[in-house]
Amino acid sequence: MRNRAKRAEAQQTSTGWWLPVEQLTLPMIEGIARSKESLLEWVHQVGLSALRELFEHDAERIAGPKGKHSTERSHYRWGSAPAELPFGGRRIVVRRPRVRSRSGQEARLATVEHFQRMDAVPARVLNQIMLGVSTRGYEHSLEPLPAGVMARGTSKSAASRHLIARMSDKLREQLNHRLDALDLLVLMLDGVVIARRTVVVALGILADGRKVVLGLWQGSTENAALCTALLQNLLERGLKVDGRTLCVIDGGRGIRKALEDVFGDLAVVQRCAVHKQRNVLDHLPQSRKAHVARALAEAWASDSAELARRRLKTLLQWLERNGESGAAASLREGMEETLTVLKLGLPPALQSFLVTTNAIENLIGSSRRISRNVTRWRAGDMISRWAAVGLLQAEQHFRRVRGYRYLSLLKRALRGNSSKLDATEKAA
């Protein structure tokens, strides 16, 4: 009984402290919310008043002060008319003065045309969508307008039109920007799946360690004709391949053949270790996947290409002895190209970055993240638009690659007079 009384007393004491705090805090929060709404309304009113003053000043410059007769004026006022302007993520209708010449021709107000050209609505729609707002909820995500102001362009269909226009601009920017000034050292190519369609992404690593999205195309890395066309597109846009370039690929036969056809012996190919491991494990029962995955990881983590080659051959023999011919064939195909970066003798930090196309996988994650609200994919162009926006958004936050300080060693190994690759290839 005594403990129960103490608990009741403690609860009453804590409640007694809480009620005054709650009574004091809630009015403060409500006051802050009302102050924010009032401040926003005041800012909008000031902005609209400033627009009207600018329009009036422009009309006065052409037709002279309102209500003052002048025999020398060449224009005169003719009432007012509605003008549609972008404002706060929507289009609003404001009154503008009308000015006519003596011959009856309508005079254009420079300020009105200036603000009409500054159409920030598509950009605002895109920003809101990337923050997770759906086109249906776009109107509710905007700040409220002052009473009496007419607005349009915030419906679901209007938001969709603005979004498509802005994303189409982003796609054109992604596909057409020039590549002349890039000092390319590494080219990464991978096919990633978005909405059950494959999109091929090209990522460049420059000599100073910066990452650059070079382009994207819909199709598969197994399609040699498509891959040849995309590599030629890079060259047509000014990409310079002045010497041997490390090409990290996902293992698609089409992209491998295209590199040989377009770049010839300038393409030094590294097969992505993650894709190779995935392909090998797909041929195995669940009971053997852990052992084989560990053996592959240990081989590719070796201190030298020679040791890695011995370990991979040992694993290959084990697979064949245990009847896993499919996994053995998958490992044997392109096995030597999984050791390309190891042959260069690079520091571990840079080496671990260059043996996979994980940089592209991480990059495309931005496209998947910002398109999470899309429920219906209607066409291939829609997928390309979303992918382009995601890539450009991610590119704004790029940092230099891990181990970028050692890229000079990579450049020397690829393009030096005595390349390590030549010696190791002869030994293999």
Side-chain angles (χ1 to χ4, degrees):
M1 291 292 292
R2 184 178 299 175
N3 291 337
R4 187 180 300 172
K6 285 183 178 180
R7 286 197 299 270
E9 183 180 355
Q11 184 177 3
Q12 184 178 2
T13 303
S14 61
T15 305
W17 277 101
W18 167 249
L19 286 177
V21 173
E22 184 182 37
Q23 292 170 357
L24 289 172
T25 305
L26 289 179
M28 291 174 60
I29 295 174
E30 293 175 358
I32 292 171
R34 285 196 299 269
S35 298
K36 180 182 177 181
E37 293 176 1
S38 299
L39 179 61
L40 186 61
E41 184 177 358
W42 176 79
V43 170
H44 282 169
Q45 291 287 6
V46 170
L48 293 173
S49 298
L51 280 176
R52 295 187 186 100
E53 288 185 13
L54 287 172
F55 297 162
E56 181 60 32
H57 181 269
D58 208 8
E60 185 174 319
R61 180 180 56 82
I62 299 173
K66 190 174 183 179
K68 294 186 178 181
H69 179 72
S70 174
T71 57
E72 299 179 355
R73 70 176 59 181
S74 58
H75 293 74
Y76 57 94
R77 293 174 182 267
W78 192 261
S80 63
E84 192 175 285
L85 304 173
F87 189 87
R90 49 169 69 85
R91 301 186 191 282
I92 62 170
V93 179
V94 296
R95 303 297 297 184
R96 64 166 181 86
R98 296 182 68 185
V99 178
R100 286 188 173 186
S101 66
R102 287 186 176 275
S103 59
Q105 294 179 341
E106 187 86 15
R108 297 180 178 180
L109 300 183
T111 50
V112 175
E113 293 186 342
H114 171 74
F115 286 111
Q116 286 177 336
R117 285 194 301 268
M118 295 175 58
D119 190 358
V121 176
R124 178 66 179 271
V125 172
L126 179 59
N127 289 337
Q128 295 294 90
I129 298 301
M130 293 178 68
L131 290 173
V133 177
S134 66
T135 53
R136 191 180 301 277
Y138 173 70
E139 182 176 5
H140 301 291
S141 72
L142 301 177
E143 300 86 357
L145 281 175
V149 177
M150 296 177 59
R152 59 182 295 272
T154 57
S155 65
K156 179 182 181 295
S157 58
S160 297
R161 288 194 299 272
H162 293 316
L163 183 63
I164 291 172
R166 187 63 174 174
M167 294 176 78
S168 298
D169 292 341
K170 293 285 187 181
L171 180 59
R172 282 191 292 271
E173 179 183 346
Q174 182 66 68
L175 294 178
N176 298 323
H177 70 282
R178 298 294 301 175
L179 308 173
D180 307 76
L182 302 184
D183 184 9
L184 185 71
L185 195 57
V186 180
L187 175 63
M188 290 188 174
L189 295 155
D190 195 1
V192 292
V193 177
I194 300 178
R196 293 181 292 184
R197 296 280 190 98
T198 302
V199 177
V200 180
V201 179
L203 179 69
I205 311 297
L206 307 186
D208 59 2
R210 288 182 294 125
K211 293 181 285 187
V212 179
V213 178
L214 302 176
L216 64 93
W217 301 263
Q218 275 201 60
S220 170
T221 54
E222 300 290 341
N223 187 331
L226 169 78
C227 296
T228 300
L230 70 86
L231 290 177
Q232 290 174 341
N233 174 261
L234 296 179
L235 297 178
E236 290 169 0
R237 287 160 51 203
L239 184 68
K240 298 177 183 177
V241 182
D242 295 330
R244 280 184 166 183
T245 300
L246 181 64
C247 300
V248 188
I249 63 175
D250 65 355
R253 296 181 181 180
I255 197 64
R256 182 66 184 85
K257 184 178 186 305
L259 285 171
E260 184 177 348
D261 291 345
V262 178
F263 291 164
D265 61 356
L266 295 181
V268 178
V269 177
Q270 165 69 39
R271 293 283 289 272
C272 174
V274 172
H275 282 84
K276 173 57 70 176
Q277 182 187 69
R278 191 182 302 157
N279 294 339
V280 172
L281 297 183
D282 283 345
H283 292 85
L284 296 171
Q286 192 64 37
S287 58
R288 287 179 171 173
K289 287 184 178 181
H291 168 69
V292 174
R294 183 169 59 252
L296 288 172
E298 289 176 354
W300 290 323
S302 301
D303 295 331
S304 66
E306 180 63 30
L307 177 58
R309 190 180 295 109
R310 288 201 302 269
R311 287 176 169 173
L312 289 176
K313 287 182 177 179
T314 300
L315 176 61
L316 191 60
Q317 293 169 359
W318 180 88
L319 290 170
E320 291 173 340
R321 286 197 309 270
N322 286 274
E324 301 293 351
S325 57
S330 178
L331 177 58
R332 186 182 294 107
E333 190 275 321
M335 184 180 75
E336 193 64 29
E337 290 182 346
T338 66
L339 307 177
T340 301
V341 171
L342 265 175
K343 298 173 187 178
L344 299 174
L346 301 173
L350 183 59
Q351 179 177 293
S352 62
F353 178 82
L354 295 176
V355 295
T356 72
T357 59
N358 283 350
I360 292 180
E361 293 283 353
N362 297 335
L363 176 62
I364 207 67
S366 297
S367 296
R368 294 193 180 105
R369 186 170 57 255
I370 68 171
S371 62
R372 61 187 180 273
N373 286 337
V374 180
T375 56
R376 291 181 60 193
W377 295 93
R378 291 178 174 82
D381 289 344
M382 183 179 181
I383 297 171
S384 296
R385 288 196 299 268
W386 278 101
V389 170
L391 296 179
L392 289 174
Q393 178 72 8
E395 194 173 26
Q396 296 176 6
H397 305 284
F398 275 174
R399 294 180 292 180
R400 287 192 284 188
V401 303
R402 292 195 313 271
Y404 69 90
R405 295 180 180 85
Y406 305 109
L407 283 173
S408 58
L409 300 177
L410 173 61
K411 190 171 186 177
R412 193 178 307 132
L414 288 172
R415 301 174 183 177
N417 293 329
S418 56
S419 173
K420 297 180 182 180
L421 285 171
D422 295 330
T424 52
E425 285 170 1
K426 291 177 182 177

